[in-house]
Amino acid sequence: MIIFAEEVKGIDITTVTFLQVARLLMIIFFVPFLILGSYFKYSPAHTGEKGMTFTGSFFPTALIFALLCIVCAFLAKRLKFPTPFLLGPILGTAIATISGFHGPSLSPAVLDVSQFLIRSYIGLLLKPEKLQNKAKIISLALISGMVMILGSIGLSMLLVTFYHIAPSTSFLSLAPGGMDQTGILAQEVHADLSMVTGYQLFRLFFIYFAVPPLLRLFFKIGYRGKTKSV
């Protein structure tokens, strides 16, 4: 969302970053407690819910995926995709995985370093002195975070009722977090990693491909309204 906001003109990056970080912190603190609770606790009856495992060698496959990500990033930029250097590699690796070419599992050290770099970048974007109406923004961040978490719990219950999916899988699939947070939790509680990632990917693609034209339409209508009032 922050990368997408940086590409859209007229967006207050500080406000977007603050709201997204507040939502992320609420998810990090609340979702693990919920998922490890009595209702969402992993059931042994769902032992088949596991993701694909990689059995090949690391280096040749990793280099192929790295080259694939670079090519897809520049291809997405040429096709004028939103956030091409994020969306291009995601689409490329997803297509490769669906086609049967599975990538290597990264070591915890590499994942920790990548998480550290991403969070540091987000932290540098936070400029509290530029944040206007701090009390209202903080209240909005807390309320919106709780609404999204409660909404995802309600929708996950519907998924469990109608499709008999494990509660942990359904909740993590619909949880308002990124693939990194939900994926780590899904692996921890032995949820269906493929389903969780699939739902989170669909949400990501929907946001990137549906939200930009809706935002442009919204801003266009708002600009016309202001022009008419003047």
Side-chain angles (χ1 to χ4, degrees), residues 157-166 195 199:
M157 290 179 179
L158 292 177
L159 208 60
V160 171
T161 303
F162 289 106
Y163 295 100
H164 306 290
I165 299 171
M195 181 173 288
Y199 269 87

Side-chain angles (χ1 to χ4, degrees), residues 2-208:
I2 294 170
I3 296 173
F4 173 66
E6 287 179 320
E7 292 188 354
V8 181
K9 295 180 180 179
I11 297 293
D12 186 353
I13 299 296
T14 301
T15 303
V16 173
T17 304
F18 183 84
L19 289 171
Q20 293 295 331
V21 169
R23 179 181 63 86
L24 179 65
L25 289 174
M26 290 185 69
I27 291 167
I28 290 172
F29 282 107
F30 284 105
V31 171
F33 287 106
L34 291 171
I35 205 67
L36 296 173
S38 58
Y39 177 74
F40 292 105
K41 194 172 182 179
Y42 172 71
S43 174
H46 298 86
T47 52
E49 299 188 50
K50 293 180 180 179
M52 298 296 296
T53 55
F54 178 75
T55 55
S57 56
F58 177 82
F59 262 106
T61 311
L63 291 176
I64 292 172
F65 267 91
L67 181 62
L68 176 66
C69 289
I70 294 171
V71 171
C72 290
F74 284 100
L75 182 61
K77 185 178 181 181
R78 190 175 183 84
L79 295 173
K80 297 182 179 179
F81 280 9
T83 60
F85 292 102
L86 176 66
L87 198 57
I90 290 175
L91 278 172
T93 52
I95 293 171
T97 303
I98 292 171
S99 302
F101 186 60
H102 301 292
S105 300
L106 296 175
S107 65
V110 173
L111 294 175
D112 291 342
V113 171
S114 63
Q115 290 276 358
F116 176 78
L117 293 174
I118 293 171
R119 306 315 172 196
S120 299
Y121 174 73
I122 293 174
L124 291 172
L125 291 176
L126 284 173
K127 297 178 175 62
E129 66 277 5
K130 293 185 178 180
L131 191 64
Q132 299 178 355
N133 300 319
K134 293 181 177 61
K136 292 182 179 179
I137 294 296
I138 293 172
S139 301
L140 177 62
L142 294 174
I143 293 171
S144 63
M146 288 305 300
V147 167
M148 283 190 286
I149 292 173
L150 292 174
S152 61
I153 291 175
L155 291 173
S156 67
M157 290 179 179
L158 292 177
L159 208 60
V160 171
T161 303
F162 289 106
Y163 295 100
H164 306 290
I165 299 171
S168 57
T169 298
S170 62
F171 178 57
L172 287 174
S173 298
L174 302 175
M179 285 182 294
D180 47 356
Q181 288 89 28
T182 54
I184 292 170
L185 286 171
Q187 200 166 17
E188 183 70 21
V189 299
H190 305 287
D192 188 346
L193 193 58
S194 299
M195 181 173 288
V196 172
T197 307
Y199 269 87
Q200 294 293 336
L201 266 177
F202 176 80
R203 185 168 65 88
L204 181 69
F205 290 153
F206 181 82
I207 289 170
Y208 277 119

